[in-house]
Amino acid sequence: MALASPVVRSRETRVGSRVVDAASRDLDDLLGGLQTRDLGLTGDEARRRLAQYGPNAVASHRARLVAVLWRQVRSPLLGLLLAAAVASFFVGERGSAVIIGVIVGLSVGLGLVNELRAEKAAEALHSQIRHLALVLRDGVPCEVDVLALVPGDVLELKLGDIVPADLRLLTVSGLECDEAVLTGESLPVAKDPDAVRVGTVLGELSCAALMGTVVHAGSGRGVVVATGAGTELGAIAAGLDTALMETEFQVGLRRFSLLLVYVAGTLTTSIFVLNVVLQRPVLDALLFSLAIAVGITPQLLPAVVSSSLATGSGRMRRKRVLVKRLVCIEDLGDIDVLLTDKTGTLTQGRIDFSHVLPSGSAEPLLWGLLCTEQVGVGGRAVGGNQLDTALWETPAADEVKRRLPSYQTLAVLPFDHDRRRVSVVVKDEKGVLTLVTKGAPEGLLERCCEVSDTIRSALDDEFAAGNRVVAVATRRVMSESLTTSDERDLHLVGLLVFLDPPKPGAAEALQRLASLGIAVKVVTGDNAAVAAKVCHDLGLAEGAAVTGAQIDALDDGELAAALPTTTVFARVTPEQKARIVRLQRRTGGGVAFLGDGVNDALALHAADVGISVDSATDVAKDAADVILLDKDLNVLADGVAEGRRIFANTIKYVLMGTSSNFGNMFSAAGASLFLSFLPMLPSQILLNNMLYDASQLAIPTDNVDEEQLRAPSHWDIAFIRRFMLFFGPLSSVFDFATFGIMLWVFHSGPAQFRSGWFVESLATQTLIIFAIRTRRVPFVTSRPSLALTASALGVVLIGAVLPSTPLAHQLGFHALPLGFFAALAGMVLGYLVLIEVGKTWFYRAAAAQGPPRERSPERHLRRRAARFTTGDALQKSSIS
C-alpha cells in the first residue's frame, strides 16, 4: 500500500485520532478521562495498563517461522506450479508430480532455514538496543523503555529527544518540535499547553507532541494519550504494511523482483503458447512453462541478503562497529559525504590548558574558574565541559584555587549555542558583586569596552596555530539578577589558551575515507581558523570555511550552492548543523553525520545515517543508527567498507540470476521451435534451479575487489536490465551448441538430450560466478573465497554424475557418453572466454553512464517508525 505524502497528511485529520481529540479538551478533563494525574501513574497501574494495551510499538521485530515460511511460498508462480503438479498426479503422471513436490519442498526448506537463521540474528541484535524515556512513576522521575509507555504516563521532553508517543502537553519551556517526518513542515513548530479548537488539523496541534517527531528546542512535560498503532505514526506505519522496515537497499530489491516478474510473465506465456501451438500436451506445456518461470525468480535472494547481513553484523562488531538494525549496514555503505565534529575525531579530544594572555596574569584563571556551571569538589571538576575540566586540572590554577572559597556564586546564565558564552554573578568577602562572562572570543570581544590591538593580534596568532581560545571579561554590578542583556560594557580580563592537537592516525583515516569516495566536511562549534588549521595539518582537502553568522545570511539555495566548495563549517548552532545536513542530502548522495553531544542530536536525526560513539551522551547515542565503539575514523571506514562488501556480494547473486536464468528461458523458447519433445522436464528444471541456488549460498563469504569498495553502493535497475539483456543471450549460444551436439553428434533421444542440457546449463550458469564476481581476470588478479569455490565446483560435480546414478531413471535422466564431457569442457572454457570479452566491452560502455540516485521521500518516516518496534507481537493498540 502506498504511503500518503507527508505534506498531504498535514492537512488531513485521521478519523478517530486520539491526539486530535485530546488536543481540544481541557487538561483537567483529559487527565480525569485518562485516570491519571500530573505526577503520573503508579508503578502497579502502569504495569496493569501495559498488560491491557500492549507494548508501545508500531511493528514487531520477532523472527517467526510461519512468517518466514510464507515469504518462501507466497510466489504465485510457485502456487500455480504446485497446483499443476497436483493435477498431473491425478491424471496419471504421479512420478513427475512427486518429484516436483519433493524438489520444491527442498528448495523452500533451503531458503527457510537460511532466512530464519538470519532473522534470529536480527532479533538478537534488536534486543540489545533500548530506547529510554524519562517518566514520572509514583511521582518520581525514572527512565523506562519506550516500549513500556502506556496511556496516562507523564513524561519529560528535552532537546534532541524523539517523542516516544502521542502526547498532550502539560507544561513547556520554549518547546519547539520538528514535525517534518509526519507533516512535511520544514520549520520547527512552537508548542504551548493551551487547548486548540475542535477540528484542528494534525499539522496545527500546538498543544501536542507527536510520536516520531524531534524536540528541536526547549523542554516540556506531557501526558501520553496514544501509544503504538494508536498514534499518528502508528497509523502511517500500518499503511506501510510489510514495507515498514524498507531502506533504499530493500526498495531496490523490490524493484528488481518486479523486473523479473515482468520478464518471467512475458517469456513464460510465450513458451506456453508456443508449445500449445506445436500440439504438445497442455498439462506438460503448462508445467514446463511454470518451472521455467520459477527458475528465473531469485527464490534464495532473501536468504542470500539475510545471510550477508547477519554475517556482516558479526564482522562489523568485531571491527568495533555496532549497527542498531541490520539494514543500516547497506545504508552505511551508500554514503559519499561525512559531516563530522572536530574534537575527538580529528583531534585527540584530550584538551589541555596551555597559557594565559596577557602572559603572567593570574586574573583570567581566577575569573575563568569562577565562571562555570560545574561544581568544584576538592579542587576537581564535577560535570561541566572539557574546557572547564582542563582549567580545573591544570597545575597553573593551583594558586588561584585557594582564593575561590572567598567568592559566592549568586546567579548563573548557562551556556547556549547561540550566545556561545556563560555568565555568573559572584560576591566577594567585601560584598562586591561582579558579573563574569566567559566564552567564544569573537562574540565576547564585541561586548567589551576596549580591546587593544595587541590582544586582537595575539588572538589571531593563537587561532592560526590551531589553538582553542576562551575570552574572560568582567564588570561590577549592583544586582544579583542576571539576563543576557547584562552581558555588555565588559572589561576584558584576558584569554585562556587550550591545546587539542591532531589525533595520531587521523590523517591516515582521512586518506582511507577519501579512497572510499567519501568527502569529509568538518562541522564544529570552534573557530573557523582553528578548524582550518587542523584540517590543513591532517591533509584534508582544501576548501572554504563558512561560519554560523555567514550561514544565517544565506538562503537555502545559496547555502546549497556553497556546500560543494566548503570543507569547514565553524561556530555553528545545532539548528545550523541540521540545516547543513538537510541541504547536503538534497544533492542526491548519501549523507552521514558523526556526533557525540546533545547539540548533535538534531543533525543525527536529519542525516541518512546518524553515527555516534560509545562514549557519547545518551541523547546522541539514542539518535544514532550506528555506534562506533571507538571514536576513530578508521573504525568508521571499516564499517563503510563492510556495507559495500555486502552490497557487492548481493549484486553478484542478482547479476548471475538475471544473466544465466534469462539465458535458460531464451534457450527453452528456442528449443521449443524445433524439438518434438520438451527440452527438459519440469522436475529437472526445478532440480537444476535448486542445485544452482544452493551453490550461491556461499556468496556472502566471497572476497570483494578493492575497486568495488571505492564508490557508494546503490541499486541501478537500468544497469541490471542491460546486463540481463547483454549476457543472457551469450549463455544461450552455448545452450544451442549443446542442442546441436546432442542431436547431430550423439544422436540422443529425449532422455539423453535432457541430461546433456541439464549438465551443461548447470555447469555454465554455476561456474559463471567466477567471471561475474569481478571485473578483473578471474583467479589471476581476483580470487574467490574457498567456500564459494568449493560450493560451485561441488554442485557442478553433482550435476555431472546425476545421470549415472541410480536416481537417474526416476529423474528422467540417461547416462552420457564420455565424449560429451570433453565437449562440455570446451564449451565451458569458451563460455568463460566469451564472458571475459563481453565484460570488457560492457563495463566500458556502462562507465559512461552514471548510475541514478533515487531516494524515497518516505525514507525518514520509515526509519523513524523502525525505532518503535518490539521483539514481541503487538497485541493491541493503545488508546486513551
Side-chain angles (χ1 to χ4, degrees), residues 274-275 278-280 288 667-680 735-736 738-740 742-744 748-750 753-754 757:
L274 187 61
N275 278 275
L278 295 174
Q279 298 182 337
R280 310 274 167 72
F288 178 71
S667 301
S672 299
L673 290 174
F674 62 86
L675 290 177
S676 60
F677 53 86
L678 292 177
M680 200 182 295
D735 287 337
F736 286 116
T738 301
F739 298 161
M742 299 308 296
L743 290 174
W744 301 319
S748 301
F753 179 94
R754 292 163 182 158
W757 188 31

Short mmCIF file of all heavy atoms in Angstrom, two decimals, residues 274-275 278-280 288 667-680 735-736 738-740 742-744 748-750 753-754 757:
data_model
loop_
_atom_site.label_atom_id
_atom_site.label_comp_id
_atom_site.label_asym_id
_atom_site.label_seq_id
_atom_site.Cartn_x
_atom_site.Cartn_y
_atom_site.Cartn_z
N LEU A 274 3.60 -21.24 -27.39
CA LEU A 274 4.36 -21.89 -28.45
C LEU A 274 4.22 -23.40 -28.38
O LEU A 274 4.02 -24.09 -29.40
CB LEU A 274 5.83 -21.48 -28.33
CG LEU A 274 6.77 -21.93 -29.46
CD1 LEU A 274 6.32 -21.34 -30.79
CD2 LEU A 274 8.20 -21.48 -29.15
N ASN A 275 4.31 -23.97 -27.17
CA ASN A 275 4.18 -25.42 -27.02
C ASN A 275 2.78 -25.91 -27.32
O ASN A 275 2.59 -27.00 -27.89
CB ASN A 275 4.58 -25.84 -25.61
CG ASN A 275 6.08 -25.97 -25.43
OD1 ASN A 275 6.66 -27.02 -25.72
ND2 ASN A 275 6.72 -24.90 -24.98
N LEU A 278 2.30 -25.97 -31.03
CA LEU A 278 3.01 -27.12 -31.62
C LEU A 278 2.39 -28.44 -31.18
O LEU A 278 2.98 -29.50 -31.38
CB LEU A 278 4.49 -27.08 -31.22
CG LEU A 278 5.29 -25.89 -31.78
CD1 LEU A 278 6.70 -25.86 -31.21
CD2 LEU A 278 5.33 -25.96 -33.30
N GLN A 279 1.21 -28.36 -30.56
CA GLN A 279 0.39 -29.52 -30.21
C GLN A 279 1.07 -30.44 -29.19
O GLN A 279 0.96 -31.67 -29.24
CB GLN A 279 0.02 -30.32 -31.47
CG GLN A 279 -0.81 -29.50 -32.45
CD GLN A 279 -1.23 -30.31 -33.68
OE1 GLN A 279 -0.60 -31.30 -34.03
NE2 GLN A 279 -2.30 -29.87 -34.32
N ARG A 280 1.80 -29.83 -28.27
CA ARG A 280 2.33 -30.58 -27.13
C ARG A 280 1.20 -30.74 -26.11
O ARG A 280 0.26 -29.93 -26.07
CB ARG A 280 3.49 -29.82 -26.48
CG ARG A 280 4.55 -29.36 -27.47
CD ARG A 280 5.58 -30.47 -27.73
NE ARG A 280 6.41 -30.16 -28.89
CZ ARG A 280 7.36 -29.20 -28.91
NH1 ARG A 280 7.58 -28.47 -27.85
NH2 ARG A 280 8.07 -29.03 -30.00
N PHE A 288 5.99 -27.21 -17.77
CA PHE A 288 7.28 -26.77 -18.27
C PHE A 288 7.41 -25.25 -18.19
O PHE A 288 8.43 -24.71 -17.72
CB PHE A 288 7.43 -27.25 -19.72
CG PHE A 288 8.71 -26.80 -20.38
CD1 PHE A 288 9.93 -27.35 -20.01
CD2 PHE A 288 8.69 -25.83 -21.38
CE1 PHE A 288 11.09 -26.94 -20.62
CE2 PHE A 288 9.86 -25.42 -21.99
CZ PHE A 288 11.07 -25.98 -21.61
N SER A 667 16.74 -19.96 -24.20
CA SER A 667 17.09 -21.23 -24.85
C SER A 667 15.89 -22.16 -24.91
O SER A 667 15.66 -22.85 -25.92
CB SER A 667 18.23 -21.91 -24.10
OG SER A 667 19.37 -21.07 -24.05
N ALA A 668 15.10 -22.20 -23.82
CA ALA A 668 13.92 -23.07 -23.78
C ALA A 668 12.92 -22.66 -24.85
O ALA A 668 12.31 -23.52 -25.52
CB ALA A 668 13.28 -23.01 -22.39
N ALA A 669 12.74 -21.37 -25.02
CA ALA A 669 11.82 -20.88 -26.04
C ALA A 669 12.30 -21.28 -27.43
O ALA A 669 11.52 -21.73 -28.29
CB ALA A 669 11.67 -19.37 -25.92
N GLY A 670 13.62 -21.15 -27.66
CA GLY A 670 14.16 -21.51 -28.97
C GLY A 670 14.07 -22.99 -29.24
O GLY A 670 13.74 -23.43 -30.37
N ALA A 671 14.36 -23.81 -28.21
CA ALA A 671 14.34 -25.26 -28.39
C ALA A 671 12.94 -25.75 -28.72
O ALA A 671 12.76 -26.74 -29.46
CB ALA A 671 14.85 -25.95 -27.13
N SER A 672 11.94 -25.07 -28.17
CA SER A 672 10.55 -25.49 -28.41
C SER A 672 10.16 -25.36 -29.87
O SER A 672 9.19 -25.99 -30.32
CB SER A 672 9.60 -24.66 -27.54
OG SER A 672 9.88 -24.85 -26.17
N LEU A 673 10.89 -24.55 -30.62
CA LEU A 673 10.53 -24.34 -32.03
C LEU A 673 10.85 -25.56 -32.90
O LEU A 673 10.16 -25.81 -33.89
CB LEU A 673 11.27 -23.11 -32.57
CG LEU A 673 10.81 -21.75 -32.03
CD1 LEU A 673 11.74 -20.64 -32.54
CD2 LEU A 673 9.38 -21.47 -32.48
N PHE A 674 11.92 -26.31 -32.56
CA PHE A 674 12.34 -27.37 -33.48
C PHE A 674 12.35 -28.75 -32.83
O PHE A 674 12.54 -29.76 -33.54
CB PHE A 674 13.73 -27.06 -34.06
CG PHE A 674 14.82 -26.99 -33.04
CD1 PHE A 674 15.49 -28.15 -32.62
CD2 PHE A 674 15.21 -25.78 -32.51
CE1 PHE A 674 16.50 -28.08 -31.70
CE2 PHE A 674 16.24 -25.71 -31.58
CZ PHE A 674 16.89 -26.87 -31.17
N LEU A 675 12.12 -28.85 -31.52
CA LEU A 675 12.11 -30.16 -30.88
C LEU A 675 10.69 -30.72 -30.85
O LEU A 675 9.71 -29.97 -30.69
CB LEU A 675 12.65 -30.07 -29.45
CG LEU A 675 14.15 -29.79 -29.29
CD1 LEU A 675 14.50 -29.67 -27.81
CD2 LEU A 675 14.98 -30.89 -29.93
N SER A 676 10.60 -32.04 -30.95
CA SER A 676 9.28 -32.68 -30.86
C SER A 676 8.94 -33.08 -29.44
O SER A 676 7.89 -33.67 -29.19
CB SER A 676 9.27 -33.93 -31.76
OG SER A 676 10.26 -34.85 -31.35
N PHE A 677 9.84 -32.74 -28.52
CA PHE A 677 9.63 -33.07 -27.11
C PHE A 677 10.10 -31.88 -26.26
O PHE A 677 10.80 -30.98 -26.77
CB PHE A 677 10.39 -34.35 -26.72
CG PHE A 677 11.86 -34.31 -27.09
CD1 PHE A 677 12.80 -33.73 -26.23
CD2 PHE A 677 12.30 -34.82 -28.31
CE1 PHE A 677 14.14 -33.68 -26.57
CE2 PHE A 677 13.64 -34.78 -28.66
CZ PHE A 677 14.57 -34.20 -27.80
N LEU A 678 9.73 -31.90 -24.98
CA LEU A 678 10.18 -30.82 -24.09
C LEU A 678 11.69 -30.92 -23.89
O LEU A 678 12.21 -32.02 -23.63
CB LEU A 678 9.49 -30.94 -22.72
CG LEU A 678 7.99 -30.66 -22.70
CD1 LEU A 678 7.45 -30.87 -21.28
CD2 LEU A 678 7.70 -29.24 -23.16
N PRO A 679 12.44 -29.80 -24.01
CA PRO A 679 13.90 -29.87 -23.90
C PRO A 679 14.39 -30.27 -22.51
O PRO A 679 15.50 -30.78 -22.36
CB PRO A 679 14.36 -28.45 -24.26
CG PRO A 679 13.15 -27.60 -24.04
CD PRO A 679 11.96 -28.45 -24.34
N MET A 680 13.55 -30.06 -21.51
CA MET A 680 13.87 -30.50 -20.15
C MET A 680 12.56 -30.67 -19.40
O MET A 680 11.63 -29.88 -19.58
CB MET A 680 14.78 -29.48 -19.43
CG MET A 680 15.54 -30.07 -18.23
SD MET A 680 16.55 -28.84 -17.34
CE MET A 680 17.76 -28.40 -18.59
N ASP A 735 24.06 -23.03 -25.03
CA ASP A 735 22.92 -23.96 -24.91
C ASP A 735 22.58 -24.54 -26.28
O ASP A 735 22.37 -25.75 -26.43
CB ASP A 735 21.70 -23.24 -24.34
CG ASP A 735 21.84 -22.94 -22.86
OD1 ASP A 735 22.62 -23.64 -22.19
OD2 ASP A 735 21.15 -22.02 -22.36
N PHE A 736 22.53 -23.66 -27.29
CA PHE A 736 22.21 -24.13 -28.64
C PHE A 736 23.33 -25.02 -29.20
O PHE A 736 23.06 -25.97 -29.95
CB PHE A 736 21.95 -22.96 -29.58
CG PHE A 736 20.62 -22.30 -29.34
CD1 PHE A 736 20.54 -20.99 -28.89
CD2 PHE A 736 19.43 -23.00 -29.55
CE1 PHE A 736 19.32 -20.38 -28.67
CE2 PHE A 736 18.20 -22.40 -29.33
CZ PHE A 736 18.14 -21.08 -28.88
N THR A 738 25.04 -27.02 -27.35
CA THR A 738 24.76 -28.30 -26.69
C THR A 738 23.65 -29.05 -27.41
O THR A 738 23.72 -30.27 -27.62
CB THR A 738 24.37 -28.07 -25.22
OG1 THR A 738 25.42 -27.39 -24.55
CG2 THR A 738 24.09 -29.39 -24.51
N PHE A 739 22.59 -28.31 -27.80
CA PHE A 739 21.49 -28.94 -28.54
C PHE A 739 22.03 -29.62 -29.81
O PHE A 739 21.67 -30.76 -30.14
CB PHE A 739 20.43 -27.91 -28.93
CG PHE A 739 19.75 -27.24 -27.75
CD1 PHE A 739 19.07 -26.05 -27.93
CD2 PHE A 739 19.79 -27.81 -26.48
CE1 PHE A 739 18.44 -25.43 -26.87
CE2 PHE A 739 19.17 -27.19 -25.42
CZ PHE A 739 18.49 -25.99 -25.60
N GLY A 740 22.88 -28.90 -30.52
CA GLY A 740 23.42 -29.44 -31.77
C GLY A 740 24.27 -30.67 -31.54
O GLY A 740 24.18 -31.67 -32.28
N MET A 742 24.13 -32.78 -28.99
CA MET A 742 23.31 -33.92 -28.54
C MET A 742 22.52 -34.52 -29.71
O MET A 742 22.34 -35.74 -29.77
CB MET A 742 22.35 -33.48 -27.43
CG MET A 742 23.04 -32.94 -26.17
SD MET A 742 24.30 -34.05 -25.49
CE MET A 742 23.30 -35.46 -25.04
N LEU A 743 22.03 -33.70 -30.61
CA LEU A 743 21.17 -34.20 -31.69
C LEU A 743 21.97 -34.75 -32.85
O LEU A 743 21.63 -35.80 -33.42
CB LEU A 743 20.24 -33.08 -32.18
CG LEU A 743 19.13 -32.63 -31.22
CD1 LEU A 743 18.39 -31.43 -31.78
CD2 LEU A 743 18.16 -33.78 -30.94
N TRP A 744 23.03 -34.06 -33.25
CA TRP A 744 23.71 -34.41 -34.51
C TRP A 744 25.04 -35.13 -34.31
O TRP A 744 25.56 -35.71 -35.26
CB TRP A 744 23.92 -33.14 -35.32
CG TRP A 744 22.61 -32.46 -35.65
CD1 TRP A 744 21.45 -33.07 -36.02
CD2 TRP A 744 22.34 -31.07 -35.60
NE1 TRP A 744 20.46 -32.15 -36.22
CE2 TRP A 744 20.97 -30.88 -35.97
CE3 TRP A 744 23.08 -29.92 -35.29
CZ2 TRP A 744 20.35 -29.63 -36.03
CZ3 TRP A 744 22.48 -28.67 -35.36
CH2 TRP A 744 21.12 -28.53 -35.72
N SER A 748 21.12 -38.23 -29.73
CA SER A 748 20.46 -38.56 -28.46
C SER A 748 18.95 -38.57 -28.58
O SER A 748 18.34 -37.81 -29.36
CB SER A 748 20.87 -37.53 -27.40
OG SER A 748 22.26 -37.51 -27.22
N GLY A 749 18.34 -39.45 -27.76
CA GLY A 749 16.90 -39.43 -27.60
C GLY A 749 16.52 -38.38 -26.56
O GLY A 749 17.37 -37.69 -26.00
N PRO A 750 15.21 -38.27 -26.28
CA PRO A 750 14.76 -37.23 -25.33
C PRO A 750 15.45 -37.29 -23.97
O PRO A 750 15.88 -36.25 -23.45
CB PRO A 750 13.26 -37.51 -25.21
CG PRO A 750 12.88 -38.14 -26.52
CD PRO A 750 14.07 -38.98 -26.89
N PHE A 753 19.14 -36.27 -24.31
CA PHE A 753 19.18 -34.85 -24.67
C PHE A 753 18.99 -33.98 -23.42
O PHE A 753 19.73 -33.02 -23.18
CB PHE A 753 18.11 -34.55 -25.72
CG PHE A 753 18.06 -33.10 -26.13
CD1 PHE A 753 18.75 -32.66 -27.25
CD2 PHE A 753 17.32 -32.16 -25.40
CE1 PHE A 753 18.71 -31.33 -27.64
CE2 PHE A 753 17.28 -30.83 -25.79
CZ PHE A 753 17.97 -30.41 -26.90
N ARG A 754 17.96 -34.32 -22.66
CA ARG A 754 17.67 -33.54 -21.46
C ARG A 754 18.82 -33.64 -20.45
O ARG A 754 19.16 -32.65 -19.78
CB ARG A 754 16.37 -34.03 -20.82
CG ARG A 754 15.13 -33.73 -21.64
CD ARG A 754 13.95 -34.56 -21.22
NE ARG A 754 12.78 -34.30 -22.05
CZ ARG A 754 11.76 -35.14 -22.18
NH1 ARG A 754 11.79 -36.34 -21.56
NH2 ARG A 754 10.72 -34.82 -22.95
N TRP A 757 21.63 -31.28 -21.65
CA TRP A 757 21.37 -29.85 -21.41
C TRP A 757 21.37 -29.55 -19.91
O TRP A 757 21.83 -28.51 -19.47
CB TRP A 757 20.04 -29.44 -22.05
CG TRP A 757 19.84 -27.94 -21.99
CD1 TRP A 757 20.80 -26.97 -22.02
CD2 TRP A 757 18.60 -27.25 -21.85
NE1 TRP A 757 20.25 -25.72 -21.93
CE2 TRP A 757 18.89 -25.85 -21.84
CE3 TRP A 757 17.26 -27.66 -21.79
CZ2 TRP A 757 17.90 -24.88 -21.73
CZ3 TRP A 757 16.28 -26.69 -21.69
CH2 TRP A 757 16.59 -25.31 -21.65
#
